[in-house]
Amino acid sequence: MKICIFGSGAIGGYMGVRLHQGGADVSLVARGAHLAAMQQNGVKLITEEGEDTVHPTCSDDPAALGPQDYVIIALKAHSVTGAIPSIKPLLGPDTAIVTAVNGIPYWYFHKHGGEYEGRVVESVDPGGLQWKEFGPERAIGCVVYPATEVVEPGVIKHVYGDKFSLGEPDGSSSDRIVKLSEALTAGGLRAPVLDKIRDEIWLKLWGNLCFNPISALTHATLDVITSDPETRAVARAMMLEAKEIGDRLGVHFRVDVERRINGAGAVGAHKTSMLQDLERDRPMEIDPLLTVVQEMGRMVGVPTPTIDVVLALVKQRGEMAGCYTRTSRPEPAEQPAVAAQ
């Protein structure tokens, strides 16, 4: 079984180490100083139990790796479209693409059923390029729960979590998804195969869509956002708007809003990924976590007033910091005529 991890930073590198330890033929695609360190010294993983260093194939030339059985895309979601030409040499006739990205994946409405079947979600797949170039039939959903970080080139620190939930768009337990689950499990990870992966996608997105932008705007950690009555109320309003959208799309939320907020608060003084990106002058994941919810709200006819306000503010915050570029600006609302005095 050949598995390539495209985007072997904190999460991708962690998966690569564990898959290698489980006996998979795994290769890691990365770049820059991180790649150079991995090629020279191997990939070091630091956990509570100690340190492990493994030496999988690491490259910045996907074409040299050849077609794979699985390509795990572990990039930030907004980076995937630009990486399509580099990913395509890894694809053979039966290669599966595992979308280990935050937010709504490009294939979301493949095998969804109903009136939105086959719909492209522009916020995460502008122009439907991923849908056209990859094909939704290759896709396997993956919801990422661990927190990891690259503490220096070639060195990954595991903070918490070991679960990577998997699911086919049609909910089946296919041969390919079972084998992938087994490979991840052999490396010491939890990889349950779910029959309703979209429910799990929304459960994670439910928190990301509010806590990430609020933290980027306030620079507060999760414990502060969830314990302050006013920011907690903003998060709750955003989540309720999102839940109505999910409900109309047939999503089942297995926990209620208060429990989801309390769960985030229990993580403690944690900086969200969006705040970390802002502080490090890196591109912010605004569209896959927030713009997409606004788009889907308009799709199903659900107003999103709180989401709209927070989205407008965090987009401008990202632009001012040079960490976000919007693809288009909304048309200004028509102003009422002013009566003559």
Side-chain angles (χ1 to χ4, degrees), residues 3 8 36 46 62 81 97 125 132 135 156 165 179 189 198 232 258 281 288 290 295 301 304 309 334 338:
I3 302 175
S8 300
I46 301 172
T81 296
I97 290 178
D125 188 17
K132 295 171 188 173
I156 296 164
S165 297
K179 289 180 177 177
L189 301 173
R198 293 176 184 84
R232 184 183 180 100
E258 298 302 329
D281 298 320
L290 198 51
E295 178 184 349
T304 54
V309 170
E334 184 177 344
V338 177

Side-chain angles (χ1 to χ4, degrees), residues 302-327:
V302 172
T304 54
T306 313
I307 287 172
D308 294 347
V309 170
V310 173
L311 177 57
L313 293 172
V314 79
K315 280 183 174 181
Q316 189 167 91
R317 182 69 187 92
E319 286 181 321
M320 297 302 292
C323 297
Y324 175 75
T325 302
R326 69 182 83 201
T327 55

Side-chain angles (χ1 to χ4, degrees), residues 42-64:
V43 189
K44 180 186 287 188
L45 176 63
I46 301 172
T47 67
E48 288 184 348
E49 288 74 36
E51 299 180 1
D52 293 294
T53 301
V54 300
H55 297 268
T57 299
C58 299
S59 176
D60 60 358
D61 182 10

Side-chain angles (χ1 to χ4, degrees), residues 118-201:
R119 183 84 169 248
V120 169
V121 186
E122 287 288 332
S123 302
V124 295
D125 188 17
L129 287 178
Q130 293 179 58
W131 188 287
K132 295 171 188 173
E133 298 294 328
F134 293 155
E137 68 281 351
R138 292 186 184 273
I140 291 175
C142 178
V143 180
V144 175
Y145 283 101
T148 56
E149 59 180 312
V150 177
V151 293
E152 62 180 271
V155 181
I156 296 164
K157 181 180 179 181
H158 176 260
V159 181
Y160 65 81
D162 62 359
K163 188 167 89 169
F164 293 85
S165 297
L166 305 175
E168 289 279 6
D170 66 359
S172 65
S173 293
S174 64
D175 182 62
R176 67 178 187 173
I177 203 169
V178 170
K179 289 180 177 177
L180 177 61
S181 176
E182 290 172 348
L184 290 165
T185 302
L189 301 173
R190 290 187 294 151
V193 176
L194 308 180
D195 59 358
K196 293 183 178 179
I197 190 64
R198 293 176 184 84
D199 290 356
E200 202 78 0
I201 289 170

Side-chain angles (χ1 to χ4, degrees), residues 186-220:
L189 301 173
R190 290 187 294 151
V193 176
L194 308 180
D195 59 358
K196 293 183 178 179
I197 190 64
R198 293 176 184 84
D199 290 356
E200 202 78 0
I201 289 170
W202 272 91
L203 185 62
K204 184 177 182 186
L205 176 62
W206 211 17
N208 283 342
L209 72 92
C210 58
F211 301 131
N212 274 269
I214 291 173
S215 70
L217 291 168
T218 65
H219 288 229

Side-chain angles (χ1 to χ4, degrees), residues 23-305:
D25 179 3
V26 63
S27 56
L28 279 62
V29 173
R31 61 184 180 180
H34 185 53
L35 170 63
M38 292 193 296
Q39 289 176 324
Q40 182 173 349
N41 306 314
V43 189
K44 180 186 287 188
L45 176 63
I46 301 172
T47 67
E48 288 184 348
E49 288 74 36
E51 299 180 1
D52 293 294
T53 301
V54 300
H55 297 268
T57 299
C58 299
S59 176
D60 60 358
D61 182 10
L65 301 174
Q68 306 287 309
D69 295 306
Y70 301 88
V71 174
I72 299 176
I73 299 178
L75 298 169
K76 290 292 183 70
H78 57 259
S79 303
V80 177
T81 296
I84 289 173
S86 297
I87 294 172
K88 288 189 71 174
L90 298 167
L91 306 181
D94 300 313
T95 303
I97 290 178
V98 184
T99 52
V101 297
N102 284 327
I104 299 294
Y106 80 94
W107 54 263
Y108 188 87
F109 288 111
H110 174 61
K111 301 292 186 180
H112 181 273
E115 62 181 302
Y116 303 109
E117 173 66 37
R119 183 84 169 248
V120 169
V121 186
E122 287 288 332
S123 302
V124 295
D125 188 17
L129 287 178
Q130 293 179 58
W131 188 287
K132 295 171 188 173
E133 298 294 328
F134 293 155
E137 68 281 351
R138 292 186 184 273
I140 291 175
C142 178
V143 180
V144 175
Y145 283 101
T148 56
E149 59 180 312
V150 177
V151 293
E152 62 180 271
V155 181
I156 296 164
K157 181 180 179 181
H158 176 260
V159 181
Y160 65 81
D162 62 359
K163 188 167 89 169
F164 293 85
S165 297
L166 305 175
E168 289 279 6
D170 66 359
S172 65
S173 293
S174 64
D175 182 62
R176 67 178 187 173
I177 203 169
V178 170
K179 289 180 177 177
L180 177 61
S181 176
E182 290 172 348
L184 290 165
T185 302
L189 301 173
R190 290 187 294 151
V193 176
L194 308 180
D195 59 358
K196 293 183 178 179
I197 190 64
R198 293 176 184 84
D199 290 356
E200 202 78 0
I201 289 170
W202 272 91
L203 185 62
K204 184 177 182 186
L205 176 62
W206 211 17
N208 283 342
L209 72 92
C210 58
F211 301 131
N212 274 269
I214 291 173
S215 70
L217 291 168
T218 65
H219 288 229
T221 50
L222 286 176
D223 56 335
V224 175
I225 294 170
T226 57
S227 62
D228 179 271
E230 293 175 319
T231 50
R232 184 183 180 100
V234 174
R236 186 175 188 276
M238 296 174 73
M239 293 173 74
L240 288 174
E241 291 171 8
K243 184 178 185 300
E244 187 172 352
I245 296 167
D247 288 344
R248 295 200 185 185
L249 291 170
V251 175
H252 170 68
F253 293 83
R254 68 172 185 269
V255 300
D256 63 23
V257 172
E258 298 302 329
R259 183 177 170 188
R260 182 68 178 86
I261 295 175
N262 290 338
V267 174
H270 174 70
K271 292 183 178 181
T272 69
S273 59
M274 189 178 289
L275 176 56
Q276 292 181 47
D277 287 342
L278 177 64
E279 291 181 338
R280 297 172 186 176
D281 298 320
R282 300 187 304 210
M284 294 163 65
E285 258 186 324
I286 295 173
D287 292 332
L289 301 184
L290 198 51
T291 310
V292 68
V293 181
Q294 181 189 69
E295 178 184 349
M296 295 175 91
R298 292 172 178 172
M299 185 188 305
V300 300
V302 172
T304 54

